[in-house]
Amino acid sequence: MGLSDAELDAVRAIERDDGADDDLDAFFTGADRARPVREVRVEPFLIARHPLTVPQVRHWLPEYEDSFTDSASGTARIEDDLDDLLGALPFRLPSEAEWEYAARAGTTTLTFRGNGRPDEDQVLDDFADEERTAAAENAFGLAAMGSANEICADVWIPHFTDAPADARPRTGDGPRVVRGGGGDLSPWQGCDEWLLLLSATRYELQDFTAVRPVAPVPTH
């Protein structure tokens, strides 16, 4: 888990090939937020195929209003209702170790698609088209990993030093960790939004968020 030296080299190669819109000094300066790389033991768990959509959130919060999408099949972005939603769901948030394990789907590259620069065509924010949803799945059958900024159970700590090795979320006071977010700035403005699609990208929750719930594997 984490941003490896090989992945940093892959980003440098994209920059050398003029694949970046700006210089990536800020990205490399902030790379320690996703380091050091470490092995994590992840127990089996179930995770939603895609983030909760607006009607799925309304199943738990009937009065929920979404100002970010007009589509009934679009990803819900939660703001003031987040605590109410988390209290109503019979599921939990993934730890960020679980989220990254799910996003990578057995890969060690920048995204599950490889080390190439992701493009905006890879962003999926609406799940009305089953063919397009299926095309956005990784090897685990999970769609749109990295498209929406998805909240994790961990409190934000700007590095992985002394992080648990068994995928437990880190606890404490403060904002939670967010993963992904490439679709939250769509249409892209040419500010290297593709970096938000990387499996290792992490930052702290500031505004709205999407929710991709998880559950334990049934024992019976």
Side-chain angles (χ1 to χ4, degrees), residues 69-91:
T69 180
D70 296 326
S71 171
S73 53
T75 300
R77 264 76 171 190
I78 317 297
E79 287 190 293
D80 298 336
D81 296 319
L82 179 60
D83 289 340
D84 291 338
L85 176 62
L86 296 180
L89 285 175
F91 311 108

mmCIF file with all atom_site columns, all heavy atoms in Angstrom, residues 69-91:
data_model
loop_
_atom_site.group_PDB
_atom_site.id
_atom_site.type_symbol
_atom_site.label_atom_id
_atom_site.label_alt_id
_atom_site.label_comp_id
_atom_site.label_asym_id
_atom_site.label_entity_id
_atom_site.label_seq_id
_atom_site.pdbx_PDB_ins_code
_atom_site.Cartn_x
_atom_site.Cartn_y
_atom_site.Cartn_z
_atom_site.occupancy
_atom_site.B_iso_or_equiv
_atom_site.pdbx_formal_charge
_atom_site.auth_seq_id
_atom_site.auth_comp_id
_atom_site.auth_asym_id
_atom_site.auth_atom_id
_atom_site.pdbx_PDB_model_num
ATOM 1   N N   . THR A 1 69 ? -25.817 16.716 -8.787  1.00 0.00 ? 69 THR A N   1
ATOM 2   C CA  . THR A 1 69 ? -26.212 15.953 -9.966  1.00 0.00 ? 69 THR A CA  1
ATOM 3   C C   . THR A 1 69 ? -27.709 16.030 -10.156 1.00 0.00 ? 69 THR A C   1
ATOM 4   O O   . THR A 1 69 ? -28.469 16.083 -9.185  1.00 0.00 ? 69 THR A O   1
ATOM 5   C CB  . THR A 1 69 ? -25.779 14.475 -9.847  1.00 0.00 ? 69 THR A CB  1
ATOM 6   O OG1 . THR A 1 69 ? -26.180 13.771 -11.021 1.00 0.00 ? 69 THR A OG1 1
ATOM 7   C CG2 . THR A 1 69 ? -26.388 13.809 -8.623  1.00 0.00 ? 69 THR A CG2 1
ATOM 8   N N   . ASP A 1 70 ? -28.129 16.052 -11.407 1.00 0.00 ? 70 ASP A N   1
ATOM 9   C CA  . ASP A 1 70 ? -29.548 16.023 -11.742 1.00 0.00 ? 70 ASP A CA  1
ATOM 10  C C   . ASP A 1 70 ? -29.999 14.620 -12.112 1.00 0.00 ? 70 ASP A C   1
ATOM 11  O O   . ASP A 1 70 ? -31.172 14.391 -12.390 1.00 0.00 ? 70 ASP A O   1
ATOM 12  C CB  . ASP A 1 70 ? -29.842 16.971 -12.917 1.00 0.00 ? 70 ASP A CB  1
ATOM 13  C CG  . ASP A 1 70 ? -29.573 18.419 -12.575 1.00 0.00 ? 70 ASP A CG  1
ATOM 14  O OD1 . ASP A 1 70 ? -29.799 18.795 -11.414 1.00 0.00 ? 70 ASP A OD1 1
ATOM 15  O OD2 . ASP A 1 70 ? -29.140 19.166 -13.474 1.00 0.00 ? 70 ASP A OD2 1
ATOM 16  N N   . SER A 1 71 ? -29.067 13.690 -12.140 1.00 0.00 ? 71 SER A N   1
ATOM 17  C CA  . SER A 1 71 ? -29.374 12.347 -12.599 1.00 0.00 ? 71 SER A CA  1
ATOM 18  C C   . SER A 1 71 ? -29.752 11.442 -11.427 1.00 0.00 ? 71 SER A C   1
ATOM 19  O O   . SER A 1 71 ? -29.085 11.452 -10.386 1.00 0.00 ? 71 SER A O   1
ATOM 20  C CB  . SER A 1 71 ? -28.168 11.749 -13.327 1.00 0.00 ? 71 SER A CB  1
ATOM 21  O OG  . SER A 1 71 ? -28.367 10.388 -13.598 1.00 0.00 ? 71 SER A OG  1
ATOM 22  N N   . ALA A 1 72 ? -30.783 10.665 -11.613 1.00 0.00 ? 72 ALA A N   1
ATOM 23  C CA  . ALA A 1 72 ? -31.190 9.725  -10.575 1.00 0.00 ? 72 ALA A CA  1
ATOM 24  C C   . ALA A 1 72 ? -30.197 8.583  -10.424 1.00 0.00 ? 72 ALA A C   1
ATOM 25  O O   . ALA A 1 72 ? -30.218 7.881  -9.413  1.00 0.00 ? 72 ALA A O   1
ATOM 26  C CB  . ALA A 1 72 ? -32.573 9.169  -10.893 1.00 0.00 ? 72 ALA A CB  1
ATOM 27  N N   . SER A 1 73 ? -29.366 8.396  -11.426 1.00 0.00 ? 73 SER A N   1
ATOM 28  C CA  . SER A 1 73 ? -28.396 7.303  -11.366 1.00 0.00 ? 73 SER A CA  1
ATOM 29  C C   . SER A 1 73 ? -26.973 7.816  -11.140 1.00 0.00 ? 73 SER A C   1
ATOM 30  O O   . SER A 1 73 ? -26.007 7.077  -11.317 1.00 0.00 ? 73 SER A O   1
ATOM 31  C CB  . SER A 1 73 ? -28.450 6.475  -12.651 1.00 0.00 ? 73 SER A CB  1
ATOM 32  O OG  . SER A 1 73 ? -28.320 7.308  -13.785 1.00 0.00 ? 73 SER A OG  1
ATOM 33  N N   . GLY A 1 74 ? -26.854 9.087  -10.766 1.00 0.00 ? 74 GLY A N   1
ATOM 34  C CA  . GLY A 1 74 ? -25.541 9.672  -10.552 1.00 0.00 ? 74 GLY A CA  1
ATOM 35  C C   . GLY A 1 74 ? -25.052 9.500  -9.125  1.00 0.00 ? 74 GLY A C   1
ATOM 36  O O   . GLY A 1 74 ? -25.825 9.267  -8.187  1.00 0.00 ? 74 GLY A O   1
ATOM 37  N N   . THR A 1 75 ? -23.740 9.605  -8.944  1.00 0.00 ? 75 THR A N   1
ATOM 38  C CA  . THR A 1 75 ? -23.135 9.516  -7.626  1.00 0.00 ? 75 THR A CA  1
ATOM 39  C C   . THR A 1 75 ? -23.646 10.621 -6.715  1.00 0.00 ? 75 THR A C   1
ATOM 40  O O   . THR A 1 75 ? -23.677 11.789 -7.104  1.00 0.00 ? 75 THR A O   1
ATOM 41  C CB  . THR A 1 75 ? -21.606 9.620  -7.735  1.00 0.00 ? 75 THR A CB  1
ATOM 42  O OG1 . THR A 1 75 ? -21.107 8.555  -8.552  1.00 0.00 ? 75 THR A OG1 1
ATOM 43  C CG2 . THR A 1 75 ? -20.946 9.562  -6.372  1.00 0.00 ? 75 THR A CG2 1
ATOM 44  N N   . ALA A 1 76 ? -24.031 10.267 -5.514  1.00 0.00 ? 76 ALA A N   1
ATOM 45  C CA  . ALA A 1 76 ? -24.447 11.260 -4.520  1.00 0.00 ? 76 ALA A CA  1
ATOM 46  C C   . ALA A 1 76 ? -23.210 11.854 -3.855  1.00 0.00 ? 76 ALA A C   1
ATOM 47  O O   . ALA A 1 76 ? -22.267 11.136 -3.506  1.00 0.00 ? 76 ALA A O   1
ATOM 48  C CB  . ALA A 1 76 ? -25.340 10.616 -3.476  1.00 0.00 ? 76 ALA A CB  1
ATOM 49  N N   . ARG A 1 77 ? -23.215 13.175 -3.719  1.00 0.00 ? 77 ARG A N   1
ATOM 50  C CA  . ARG A 1 77 ? -22.155 13.875 -2.976  1.00 0.00 ? 77 ARG A CA  1
ATOM 51  C C   . ARG A 1 77 ? -22.769 14.422 -1.700  1.00 0.00 ? 77 ARG A C   1
ATOM 52  O O   . ARG A 1 77 ? -23.676 15.259 -1.731  1.00 0.00 ? 77 ARG A O   1
ATOM 53  C CB  . ARG A 1 77 ? -21.588 15.028 -3.797  1.00 0.00 ? 77 ARG A CB  1
ATOM 54  C CG  . ARG A 1 77 ? -20.322 14.681 -4.564  1.00 0.00 ? 77 ARG A CG  1
ATOM 55  C CD  . ARG A 1 77 ? -20.580 13.857 -5.775  1.00 0.00 ? 77 ARG A CD  1
ATOM 56  N NE  . ARG A 1 77 ? -19.391 13.715 -6.614  1.00 0.00 ? 77 ARG A NE  1
ATOM 57  C CZ  . ARG A 1 77 ? -19.412 13.201 -7.808  1.00 0.00 ? 77 ARG A CZ  1
ATOM 58  N NH1 . ARG A 1 77 ? -20.530 12.780 -8.325  1.00 0.00 ? 77 ARG A NH1 1
ATOM 59  N NH2 . ARG A 1 77 ? -18.296 13.095 -8.502  1.00 0.00 ? 77 ARG A NH2 1
ATOM 60  N N   . ILE A 1 78 ? -22.259 13.956 -0.579  1.00 0.00 ? 78 ILE A N   1
ATOM 61  C CA  . ILE A 1 78 ? -22.870 14.245 0.711   1.00 0.00 ? 78 ILE A CA  1
ATOM 62  C C   . ILE A 1 78 ? -22.125 15.384 1.391   1.00 0.00 ? 78 ILE A C   1
ATOM 63  O O   . ILE A 1 78 ? -20.894 15.408 1.434   1.00 0.00 ? 78 ILE A O   1
ATOM 64  C CB  . ILE A 1 78 ? -22.837 13.013 1.631   1.00 0.00 ? 78 ILE A CB  1
ATOM 65  C CG1 . ILE A 1 78 ? -23.209 11.737 0.862   1.00 0.00 ? 78 ILE A CG1 1
ATOM 66  C CG2 . ILE A 1 78 ? -23.746 13.212 2.824   1.00 0.00 ? 78 ILE A CG2 1
ATOM 67  C CD1 . ILE A 1 78 ? -24.592 11.721 0.298   1.00 0.00 ? 78 ILE A CD1 1
ATOM 68  N N   . GLU A 1 79 ? -22.878 16.320 1.940   1.00 0.00 ? 79 GLU A N   1
ATOM 69  C CA  . GLU A 1 79 ? -22.269 17.407 2.719   1.00 0.00 ? 79 GLU A CA  1
ATOM 70  C C   . GLU A 1 79 ? -22.815 17.356 4.142   1.00 0.00 ? 79 GLU A C   1
ATOM 71  O O   . GLU A 1 79 ? -22.346 16.593 4.968   1.00 0.00 ? 79 GLU A O   1
ATOM 72  C CB  . GLU A 1 79 ? -22.552 18.754 2.053   1.00 0.00 ? 79 GLU A CB  1
ATOM 73  C CG  . GLU A 1 79 ? -21.744 18.986 0.786   1.00 0.00 ? 79 GLU A CG  1
ATOM 74  C CD  . GLU A 1 79 ? -21.869 20.417 0.282   1.00 0.00 ? 79 GLU A CD  1
ATOM 75  O OE1 . GLU A 1 79 ? -22.973 20.813 -0.153  1.00 0.00 ? 79 GLU A OE1 1
ATOM 76  O OE2 . GLU A 1 79 ? -20.861 21.133 0.323   1.00 0.00 ? 79 GLU A OE2 1
ATOM 77  N N   . ASP A 1 80 ? -23.816 18.184 4.421   1.00 0.00 ? 80 ASP A N   1
ATOM 78  C CA  . ASP A 1 80 ? -24.324 18.307 5.785   1.00 0.00 ? 80 ASP A CA  1
ATOM 79  C C   . ASP A 1 80 ? -24.991 17.031 6.286   1.00 0.00 ? 80 ASP A C   1
ATOM 80  O O   . ASP A 1 80 ? -25.151 16.848 7.494   1.00 0.00 ? 80 ASP A O   1
ATOM 81  C CB  . ASP A 1 80 ? -25.318 19.465 5.870   1.00 0.00 ? 80 ASP A CB  1
ATOM 82  C CG  . ASP A 1 80 ? -24.666 20.810 5.535   1.00 0.00 ? 80 ASP A CG  1
ATOM 83  O OD1 . ASP A 1 80 ? -23.432 20.912 5.692   1.00 0.00 ? 80 ASP A OD1 1
ATOM 84  O OD2 . ASP A 1 80 ? -25.384 21.729 5.118   1.00 0.00 ? 80 ASP A OD2 1
ATOM 85  N N   . ASP A 1 81 ? -25.400 16.165 5.359   1.00 0.00 ? 81 ASP A N   1
ATOM 86  C CA  . ASP A 1 81 ? -26.113 14.944 5.754   1.00 0.00 ? 81 ASP A CA  1
ATOM 87  C C   . ASP A 1 81 ? -25.191 13.771 6.049   1.00 0.00 ? 81 ASP A C   1
ATOM 88  O O   . ASP A 1 81 ? -25.670 12.656 6.308   1.00 0.00 ? 81 ASP A O   1
ATOM 89  C CB  . ASP A 1 81 ? -27.079 14.523 4.628   1.00 0.00 ? 81 ASP A CB  1
ATOM 90  C CG  . ASP A 1 81 ? -28.176 15.547 4.396   1.00 0.00 ? 81 ASP A CG  1
ATOM 91  O OD1 . ASP A 1 81 ? -28.700 16.075 5.387   1.00 0.00 ? 81 ASP A OD1 1
ATOM 92  O OD2 . ASP A 1 81 ? -28.488 15.825 3.222   1.00 0.00 ? 81 ASP A OD2 1
ATOM 93  N N   . LEU A 1 82 ? -23.886 13.985 6.024   1.00 0.00 ? 82 LEU A N   1
ATOM 94  C CA  . LEU A 1 82 ? -22.964 12.850 6.120   1.00 0.00 ? 82 LEU A CA  1
ATOM 95  C C   . LEU A 1 82 ? -23.144 12.077 7.422   1.00 0.00 ? 82 LEU A C   1
ATOM 96  O O   . LEU A 1 82 ? -23.267 10.851 7.413   1.00 0.00 ? 82 LEU A O   1
ATOM 97  C CB  . LEU A 1 82 ? -21.519 13.331 5.987   1.00 0.00 ? 82 LEU A CB  1
ATOM 98  C CG  . LEU A 1 82 ? -20.453 12.237 6.084   1.00 0.00 ? 82 LEU A CG  1
ATOM 99  C CD1 . LEU A 1 82 ? -20.640 11.196 4.980   1.00 0.00 ? 82 LEU A CD1 1
ATOM 100 C CD2 . LEU A 1 82 ? -19.056 12.839 6.022   1.00 0.00 ? 82 LEU A CD2 1
ATOM 101 N N   . ASP A 1 83 ? -23.170 12.762 8.547   1.00 0.00 ? 83 ASP A N   1
ATOM 102 C CA  . ASP A 1 83 ? -23.306 12.056 9.821   1.00 0.00 ? 83 ASP A CA  1
ATOM 103 C C   . ASP A 1 83 ? -24.631 11.313 9.894   1.00 0.00 ? 83 ASP A C   1
ATOM 104 O O   . ASP A 1 83 ? -24.700 10.185 10.414  1.00 0.00 ? 83 ASP A O   1
ATOM 105 C CB  . ASP A 1 83 ? -23.174 13.030 10.987  1.00 0.00 ? 83 ASP A CB  1
ATOM 106 C CG  . ASP A 1 83 ? -21.748 13.533 11.166  1.00 0.00 ? 83 ASP A CG  1
ATOM 107 O OD1 . ASP A 1 83 ? -20.815 12.869 10.674  1.00 0.00 ? 83 ASP A OD1 1
ATOM 108 O OD2 . ASP A 1 83 ? -21.573 14.597 11.793  1.00 0.00 ? 83 ASP A OD2 1
ATOM 109 N N   . ASP A 1 84 ? -25.701 11.933 9.384   1.00 0.00 ? 84 ASP A N   1
ATOM 110 C CA  . ASP A 1 84 ? -27.006 11.266 9.389   1.00 0.00 ? 84 ASP A CA  1
ATOM 111 C C   . ASP A 1 84 ? -26.969 10.007 8.529   1.00 0.00 ? 84 ASP A C   1
ATOM 112 O O   . ASP A 1 84 ? -27.527 8.968  8.907   1.00 0.00 ? 84 ASP A O   1
ATOM 113 C CB  . ASP A 1 84 ? -28.088 12.214 8.879   1.00 0.00 ? 84 ASP A CB  1
ATOM 114 C CG  . ASP A 1 84 ? -28.374 13.356 9.839   1.00 0.00 ? 84 ASP A CG  1
ATOM 115 O OD1 . ASP A 1 84 ? -28.064 13.203 11.039  1.00 0.00 ? 84 ASP A OD1 1
ATOM 116 O OD2 . ASP A 1 84 ? -28.887 14.391 9.384   1.00 0.00 ? 84 ASP A OD2 1
ATOM 117 N N   . LEU A 1 85 ? -26.320 10.098 7.367   1.00 0.00 ? 85 LEU A N   1
ATOM 118 C CA  . LEU A 1 85 ? -26.245 8.938  6.488   1.00 0.00 ? 85 LEU A CA  1
ATOM 119 C C   . LEU A 1 85 ? -25.453 7.816  7.139   1.00 0.00 ? 85 LEU A C   1
ATOM 120 O O   . LEU A 1 85 ? -25.890 6.657  7.144   1.00 0.00 ? 85 LEU A O   1
ATOM 121 C CB  . LEU A 1 85 ? -25.611 9.326  5.150   1.00 0.00 ? 85 LEU A CB  1
ATOM 122 C CG  . LEU A 1 85 ? -25.394 8.170  4.169   1.00 0.00 ? 85 LEU A CG  1
ATOM 123 C CD1 . LEU A 1 85 ? -26.714 7.519  3.780   1.00 0.00 ? 85 LEU A CD1 1
ATOM 124 C CD2 . LEU A 1 85 ? -24.633 8.645  2.937   1.00 0.00 ? 85 LEU A CD2 1
ATOM 125 N N   . LEU A 1 86 ? -24.298 8.151  7.693   1.00 0.00 ? 86 LEU A N   1
ATOM 126 C CA  . LEU A 1 86 ? -23.468 7.119  8.304   1.00 0.00 ? 86 LEU A CA  1
ATOM 127 C C   . LEU A 1 86 ? -24.173 6.489  9.497   1.00 0.00 ? 86 LEU A C   1
ATOM 128 O O   . LEU A 1 86 ? -23.990 5.296  9.781   1.00 0.00 ? 86 LEU A O   1
ATOM 129 C CB  . LEU A 1 86 ? -22.123 7.714  8.736   1.00 0.00 ? 86 LEU A CB  1
ATOM 130 C CG  . LEU A 1 86 ? -21.232 8.240  7.597   1.00 0.00 ? 86 LEU A CG  1
ATOM 131 C CD1 . LEU A 1 86 ? -19.935 8.792  8.151   1.00 0.00 ? 86 LEU A CD1 1
ATOM 132 C CD2 . LEU A 1 86 ? -20.966 7.163  6.556   1.00 0.00 ? 86 LEU A CD2 1
ATOM 133 N N   . GLY A 1 87 ? -25.005 7.263  10.183  1.00 0.00 ? 87 GLY A N   1
ATOM 134 C CA  . GLY A 1 87 ? -25.766 6.711  11.290  1.00 0.00 ? 87 GLY A CA  1
ATOM 135 C C   . GLY A 1 87 ? -26.902 5.816  10.846  1.00 0.00 ? 87 GLY A C   1
ATOM 136 O O   . GLY A 1 87 ? -27.311 4.908  11.580  1.00 0.00 ? 87 GLY A O   1
ATOM 137 N N   . ALA A 1 88 ? -27.419 6.050  9.641   1.00 0.00 ? 88 ALA A N   1
ATOM 138 C CA  . ALA A 1 88 ? -28.558 5.278  9.140   1.00 0.00 ? 88 ALA A CA  1
ATOM 139 C C   . ALA A 1 88 ? -28.129 4.018  8.401   1.00 0.00 ? 88 ALA A C   1
ATOM 140 O O   . ALA A 1 88 ? -28.866 3.031  8.361   1.00 0.00 ? 88 ALA A O   1
ATOM 141 C CB  . ALA A 1 88 ? -29.412 6.152  8.217   1.00 0.00 ? 88 ALA A CB  1
ATOM 142 N N   . LEU A 1 89 ? -26.946 4.026  7.786   1.00 0.00 ? 89 LEU A N   1
ATOM 143 C CA  . LEU A 1 89 ? -26.510 2.886  6.985   1.00 0.00 ? 89 LEU A CA  1
ATOM 144 C C   . LEU A 1 89 ? -26.229 1.667  7.857   1.00 0.00 ? 89 LEU A C   1
ATOM 145 O O   . LEU A 1 89 ? -25.572 1.785  8.892   1.00 0.00 ? 89 LEU A O   1
ATOM 146 C CB  . LEU A 1 89 ? -25.235 3.236  6.219   1.00 0.00 ? 89 LEU A CB  1
ATOM 147 C CG  . LEU A 1 89 ? -25.341 4.138  4.991   1.00 0.00 ? 89 LEU A CG  1
ATOM 148 C CD1 . LEU A 1 89 ? -23.941 4.459  4.467   1.00 0.00 ? 89 LEU A CD1 1
ATOM 149 C CD2 . LEU A 1 89 ? -26.175 3.488  3.894   1.00 0.00 ? 89 LEU A CD2 1
ATOM 150 N N   . PRO A 1 90 ? -26.659 0.502  7.430   1.00 0.00 ? 90 PRO A N   1
ATOM 151 C CA  . PRO A 1 90 ? -26.302 -0.728 8.148   1.00 0.00 ? 90 PRO A CA  1
ATOM 152 C C   . PRO A 1 90 ? -24.953 -1.274 7.678   1.00 0.00 ? 90 PRO A C   1
ATOM 153 O O   . PRO A 1 90 ? -24.685 -2.471 7.791   1.00 0.00 ? 90 PRO A O   1
ATOM 154 C CB  . PRO A 1 90 ? -27.440 -1.681 7.781   1.00 0.00 ? 90 PRO A CB  1
ATOM 155 C CG  . PRO A 1 90 ? -27.816 -1.269 6.403   1.00 0.00 ? 90 PRO A CG  1
ATOM 156 C CD  . PRO A 1 90 ? -27.616 0.224  6.333   1.00 0.00 ? 90 PRO A CD  1
ATOM 157 N N   . PHE A 1 91 ? -24.136 -0.410 7.120   1.00 0.00 ? 91 PHE A N   1
ATOM 158 C CA  . PHE A 1 91 ? -22.820 -0.767 6.611   1.00 0.00 ? 91 PHE A CA  1
ATOM 159 C C   . PHE A 1 91 ? -21.806 0.174  7.240   1.00 0.00 ? 91 PHE A C   1
ATOM 160 O O   . PHE A 1 91 ? -22.159 1.074  7.989   1.00 0.00 ? 91 PHE A O   1
ATOM 161 C CB  . PHE A 1 91 ? -22.775 -0.643 5.085   1.00 0.00 ? 91 PHE A CB  1
ATOM 162 C CG  . PHE A 1 91 ? -23.917 -1.325 4.392   1.00 0.00 ? 91 PHE A CG  1
ATOM 163 C CD1 . PHE A 1 91 ? -24.926 -0.596 3.789   1.00 0.00 ? 91 PHE A CD1 1
ATOM 164 C CD2 . PHE A 1 91 ? -23.989 -2.711 4.353   1.00 0.00 ? 91 PHE A CD2 1
ATOM 165 C CE1 . PHE A 1 91 ? -25.982 -1.221 3.153   1.00 0.00 ? 91 PHE A CE1 1
ATOM 166 C CE2 . PHE A 1 91 ? -25.040 -3.350 3.721   1.00 0.00 ? 91 PHE A CE2 1
ATOM 167 C CZ  . PHE A 1 91 ? -26.046 -2.608 3.120   1.00 0.00 ? 91 PHE A CZ  1
#
